[in-house]
Amino acid sequence: MTHLSTDVLIVGAGGAGMYAAIVAARSGASVLLLDKSLVGRGGATIMAQMTVAAAIAQQEPDHWTLHLADTIEAGRGMCNEELSAILCEEGPARILEMDEWGARWAREEGHIKQVKAPGHSRCRCCYVDFLNTGPAVAATLRRQVSNMDAIKRLSNIAVTDIVVDGGRTVGAVGLELVSGDVITFEAGAVILAAGGLTKLFRRNSASTNMGGEAYALALRAGAELVDMEFVQFFPIAHLAPRLVGMDPIMWDPFRYKLGGKLLNGNFEEFIHSYGGSDAGKYTTVRDQASYAILKEVEAGRGSPHGGVYLDFRHVPELELRQAVGPVIDRLLTNGIDLTKMPVEVGPMAHYHMGGVRVNSRMATRVPGLYAAGEAVGGANGANRLSGNAITEAFVFGKRAGRFAAEEALRTKSAWNAKYAAEEVEQARTLRQGHEGSDVTPVELQGELKDLMWENVGPFRTGEGLAKALVRIREMKHRDFADLSISREKYFNLDIQDWFELRAMLTTAEAVVMAALARNESRGAHQRLDFSGSDASLLKNQVLELENGRLTASWAPVVCSSVKVEPV
Amino acid sequence: MSKGAKQDTTALRVWRGCPDQQERYDTFHVPFEEGMSVLDALCWVRSHVDPSLAVRYSCINANACKTCMALVDGEVEYTCTARLKRPMVTVEPLPKRPVIRDLVTDTAPEEEKLQGAVREAP
Ligand SMILES: Cc1cc2nc3c(=O)[nH]c(=O)nc-3n(C[C@H](O)[C@H](O)[C@H](O)COP(=O)(O)OP(=O)(O)OC[C@H]3O[C@@H](n4cnc5c(N)ncnc54)[C@H](O)[C@@H]3O)c2cc1C
Ligand code: FES
């Protein structure tokens, strides 16, 4: 069996993982950077098409404390203010560092151009033209990473378990996807940078690798999760006609810029009948739009694909061209002529505010285990401002890299193969194949995604959540044990799906438990049976595994004023 | 599938094989809707007919990850942007890359592969 050893092991090579790798290597540590897809390509980072928020004050006067105030307001009282402050204060340095590394932020009159995205009080959002922010950021970090000898990159490796001994992180177990071989890793510190969980929901905007594995890995290792009920749903994501080659959340800026109209299946405007107006504050509008859309669909007034229409036909073609730019041609190749037809839109899972509970050093409560990027919970509270996620990936990536390296360099390896034996045995058993029920892991994943979408989506009820919880536990304890697994040696997707599904079920259970206990509506967590928020629930929920059982408890919100160590 | 959407089918002819297996072509009948990508159809096959069909992709919609390349009707294409056609589409692995299984070829950069990093367990 293959065994590798390193100072810092990084699980997931998106924006956060790559940033962490660079900084850990600069701090003198040897680094193994792993990704189940290809390094720098598998996650949400490369898909981001919009903007990155940081108070670099090049467009207009700005200050990180203003960014912080906006972030906290959007977070509806739930932000871990210590983490939010780190995000806002260190964001500018990261954006400028990325510029030095050649990210090519769009410029205007010699300075980095910054626009005002909804919810931000200043023009502070940078981007790379045209809709190229994510690919540019990913390419820049990939270049940096590949220039450093201390970083060993490995693609096609799915980490399935973090190895802990005596309460301390000592390594991990991974599956090499091409050969199906099991690999063990010993490490002084491990950073979870495996991104978000949007794949848990049938309708989502993200990549196929976003099964929420970081959260399940953290729980299994003994770390805590926080705010798992707060999944961000994007109200007007693209549903139809089939649009390929474009991020489904692309409509938002155009709708705001051009006043796109939302129409129901009968081509009538409807937002006003839900007490909303199309003006007003973005965050309110966001929740209301989702609500109104889903209510129209429920009443049988949806569009053919279960959403509503977004219509720009009233906008003069010239104005449309100016605003949409070259995107209009990309739309045309998709058979979408905005001057002649509306498109269908509806809510989709997009980002996760909750995640692994860490301190300002990005350390979990398990010594040697760190988290970074979307995997971290708390900085964005109950609702995230647009542009904060990529900044978070950079800032938290840097901190995790620095502190994990420090920890690894002063830790003596305590590896023993027996600590990983159970997980290694599990992978070997799967390779024998299993003729269980007719159900395969990918089918059960499909059922889970439908269940989550229908009961744990943008609008929740106690009844729906309870039903989902029962079924998830049944899947976990009954169906999962008897899935059919093929014996293919190379690139066995059943085995890949099996490990992913194991994580998805754990993470889904955490989301549902947290959502069920929060008897109020706040930010992204909307309960139809508890409209409005309840001041007595202005606290975070913390989840952990106790003897294999998931438990939830309440903890006070972390307020700022704590002095944070600079990096 | 939703009401009003045009429902039809098309044939997806897929190359199957791997280093330790006989190669062959399998034909799947998949639902067809105007605008669907070849990847949409491959995913449909995996979740409804044959989960053992090996395909690789990541971003699905954004055409950003570039991990989904294959030969579609003889042309090198991203399966996520190539359109499904009627009456049939043929999908094969990339020609100049070693095949891992079915449509998955070895596209990882050399320095990102395990071989270079291996050290046997003590
Ligand atoms: C379509 C889209 C558009 C977006 N647009 C914006 C935007 O404009 N601005 C903004 O600020 N934010 C945006 N976001 C959010 C933002 O992109 C993400 O929050 C951020 O990129 C997350 O970075 P990350 O490094 O934490 O995770 P990711 O970039 O998602 O990387 C995680 C990596 O971990 C790997 N992985 C997962 N599980 C395992 C495992 N078990 N073993 C090994 N590897 C694993 C994955 O393959 C992936 O490569 C967008 C998100 C989406 C989906
Ligand atoms: S799936 Fe990402 S480019 Fe095709």
Side-chain angles (χ1 to χ4, degrees):
Chain A
M1 190 179 57
T2 305
H3 176 76
L4 300 175
S5 126
T6 185
D7 293 329
V8 176
L9 182 83
I10 303 178
V11 185
M18 289 193 285
Y19 223 112
I22 296 164
V23 176
R26 284 191 175 176
S27 312
S30 61
V31 177
L32 260 178
L33 175 61
L34 311 179
D35 203 286
K36 66 190 290 188
S37 173
L38 301 183
V39 167
R41 296 182 189 270
T45 301
I46 201 166
M47 302 177 69
Q49 293 188 339
M50 301 299 164
T51 62
V52 183
I56 55 173
Q58 298 206 358
Q59 189 76 29
E60 62 170 326
D62 195 2
H63 193 267
W64 71 264
T65 51
L66 298 173
H67 185 187
L68 178 61
D70 292 343
T71 298
I72 288 173
E73 194 187 332
R76 308 281 167 81
M78 296 303 291
C79 289
N80 174 324
E81 293 183 12
E82 190 185 2
L83 294 181
S84 319
I86 290 172
L87 163 67
C88 297
E89 186 173 9
E90 296 179 8
R94 298 290 73 77
I95 295 301
L96 298 177
E97 190 164 49
M98 284 295 289
D99 198 50
E100 275 168 38
W101 292 344
R104 294 175 189 273
W105 303 116
R107 289 189 137 74
E108 165 181 90
E109 295 165 7
H111 66 80
I112 294 174
K113 188 168 172 186
Q114 295 182 280
V115 295
K116 192 189 276 184
H120 290 277
S121 59
R122 294 287 187 280
C123 293
R124 67 166 72 97
C125 295
C126 317
Y127 59 93
V128 181
D129 268 329
F130 272 96
L131 299 181
N132 202 36
T133 300
V137 155
T140 304
L141 290 170
R142 254 196 336 253
R143 243 186 351 260
Q144 287 295 317
V145 162
S146 55
N147 284 340
M148 300 185 78
D149 292 338
I151 303 173
K152 173 68 196 164
R153 293 164 282 154
L154 288 178
S155 287
N156 291 318
I157 300 208
V159 169
T160 64
D161 208 16
I162 303 301
V163 181
V164 176
D165 176 56
R168 210 214 117 76
T169 312
V170 293
V173 178
L175 190 69
E176 208 276 340
L177 304 181
V178 173
S179 63
D181 291 340
V182 194
I183 308 168
T184 50
F185 302 93
E186 70 181 271
V190 175
I191 302 174
L192 296 169
L197 54 55
T198 42
K199 188 185 182 172
L200 292 180
F201 298 88
R202 169 63 63 204
R203 288 190 173 172
N204 70 73
S205 69
S207 92
T208 189
N209 303 313
M210 314 282 71
E213 290 176 77
Y215 313 117
L217 288 170
L219 280 177
R220 283 164 61 90
E224 298 161 310
L225 304 182
V226 67
D227 290 346
M228 290 301 283
E229 62 273 40
F230 297 112
V231 178
Q232 187 164 54
F233 294 90
F234 194 85
I236 54 158
H238 187 90
L239 293 177
R242 186 71 179 99
L243 173 64
V244 301
M246 294 192 76
D247 165 1
I249 64 144
M250 55 160 291
W251 290 116
D252 213 35
F254 301 131
R255 176 173 168 230
Y256 285 95
K257 240 194 248 181
L258 293 165
K261 282 185 194 153
L262 288 175
L263 308 175
N264 66 16
N266 306 326
F267 294 97
E268 302 150 349
E269 294 196 53
F270 58 91
I271 291 272
H272 57 88
S273 48
Y274 295 90
S277 77
D278 247 344
K281 284 186 83 166
Y282 175 68
T283 44
T284 341
V285 169
R286 179 177 275 209
D287 305 341
Q288 270 173 353
S290 290
Y291 179 75
I293 291 169
L294 292 177
K295 278 288 165 193
E296 287 297 294
V297 173
E298 202 181 284
R301 291 189 298 270
S303 63
H305 290 82
V308 297
Y309 293 109
L310 174 63
D311 193 359
F312 293 99
R313 284 174 298 176
H314 58 287
V315 182
E317 188 169 348
L318 191 66
E319 199 181 317
L320 209 55
R321 265 205 173 270
Q322 273 166 355
V324 183
V327 174
I328 208 162
D329 299 315
R330 277 209 238 168
L331 290 169
L332 281 173
T333 62
N334 275 281
I336 298 172
D337 181 346
L338 293 182
T339 64
K340 297 206 171 64
M341 61 197 281
V343 293
E344 291 179 55
V345 296
M348 268 185 203
H350 181 55
Y351 171 84
H352 190 40
M353 274 75 73
V356 183
R357 193 179 195 210
V358 295
N359 63 17
S360 66
R361 300 165 73 105
M362 303 296 131
T364 68
R365 73 172 179 188
V366 182
L369 186 62
Y370 294 75
E374 194 169 332
V376 168
N380 295 288
N383 200 18
R384 172 187 66 109
L385 283 181
S386 70
N388 269 9
I390 298 275
T391 314
E392 163 187 81
F394 297 162
V395 169
F396 293 177
K398 166 148 188 171
R399 287 187 90 82
R402 145 92 202 273
F403 293 115
E406 208 169 84
E407 172 73 17
L409 290 173
R410 65 159 180 256
T411 309
K412 241 178 90 58
S413 167
W415 178 262
N416 185 321
K418 71 170 193 260
Y419 306 147
E422 202 178 314
E423 184 72 355
V424 168
E425 193 45 41
Q426 177 65 71
R428 287 192 174 144
T429 309
L430 288 171
R431 291 190 82 176
Q432 315 290 313
H434 184 71
E435 284 172 30
S437 60
D438 282 343
V439 183
T440 58
V442 74
E443 282 171 272
L444 197 58
Q445 283 192 6
E447 192 198 328
L448 176 64
K449 286 156 77 168
D450 286 335
L451 183 76
M452 291 295 284
W453 179 251
E454 279 153 27
N455 299 291
V456 198
F459 294 95
R460 302 160 172 180
T461 61
E463 200 187 334
L465 290 166
K467 184 177 128 193
L469 193 57
V470 168
R471 182 67 191 119
I472 288 168
R473 287 179 174 158
E474 210 174 66
M475 287 182 184
K476 228 173 136 174
H477 302 297
R478 196 188 64 197
D479 308 359
F480 186 67
D482 197 29
L483 293 172
S484 142
I485 308 281
S486 76
R487 252 189 225 101
E488 311 277 356
K489 176 167 163 44
Y490 298 101
F491 212 79
N492 184 322
L493 283 164
D494 283 341
I495 297 181
Q496 298 179 25
D497 292 341
W498 188 93
F499 279 111
E500 188 177 69
L501 174 60
R502 184 178 71 178
M504 287 169 80
L505 287 168
T506 299
T507 301
E509 187 182 359
V511 173
V512 178
M513 269 182 69
L516 193 55
R518 187 170 286 286
N519 288 334
E520 63 161 352
S521 289
R522 182 186 297 275
H525 171 71
Q526 293 291 319
R527 287 276 299 260
L528 294 175
D529 44 356
F530 292 97
S531 60
S533 46
D534 174 349
S536 72
L537 292 177
L538 195 56
K539 47 193 176 184
N540 301 106
Q541 267 187 99
V542 177
L543 292 109
E544 64 188 311
L545 271 182
E546 271 177 43
N547 305 320
R549 250 189 72 243
L550 199 58
T551 60
S553 56
W554 298 95
V557 176
V558 178
C559 292
S560 58
S561 77
V562 194
K563 188 73 199 121
V564 168
E565 209 172 336
V567 292
Chain B
M1 191 48 63
S2 42
K3 62 181 167 141
K6 207 158 79 190
Q7 265 289 288
D8 221 326
T9 64
T10 188
L12 191 68
R13 192 167 157 264
V14 187
W15 188 95
R16 308 292 300 272
C18 78
D20 60 5
Q21 265 173 27
Q22 193 69 21
E23 61 174 85
R24 65 175 199 271
Y25 284 87
D26 280 351
T27 301
F28 302 99
H29 294 277
V30 299
F32 176 87
E33 197 180 321
E34 206 58 63
M36 264 173 84
S37 69
V38 170
L39 179 61
D40 292 338
L42 292 167
C43 290
W44 187 88
V45 170
R46 271 214 74 221
S47 40
H48 294 90
V49 190
D50 184 355
S52 76
L53 172 64
V55 291
R56 152 163 263 166
Y57 59 94
S58 170
C59 71
I60 311 169
N61 292 299
N63 191 220
C65 72
K66 318 291 187 195
T67 61
C68 65
M69 280 199 287
L71 278 189
V72 178
D73 286 336
E75 303 282 330
V76 174
E77 302 239 32
Y78 297 113
T79 57
C80 72
T81 55
R83 303 288 178 169
L84 198 60
K85 285 194 225 61
R86 275 177 302 189
M88 184 166 81
V89 173
T90 300
V91 198
E92 297 161 297
L94 284 177
K96 293 191 181 115
R97 299 278 187 172
V99 171
I100 293 170
R101 195 158 65 83
D102 300 346
L103 301 176
V104 180
T105 48
D106 184 2
T107 49
E110 279 312 310
E111 64 280 12
E112 287 175 17
K113 291 184 191 165
L114 186 62
Q115 289 84 333
V118 173
R119 201 183 79 197
E120 287 308 310

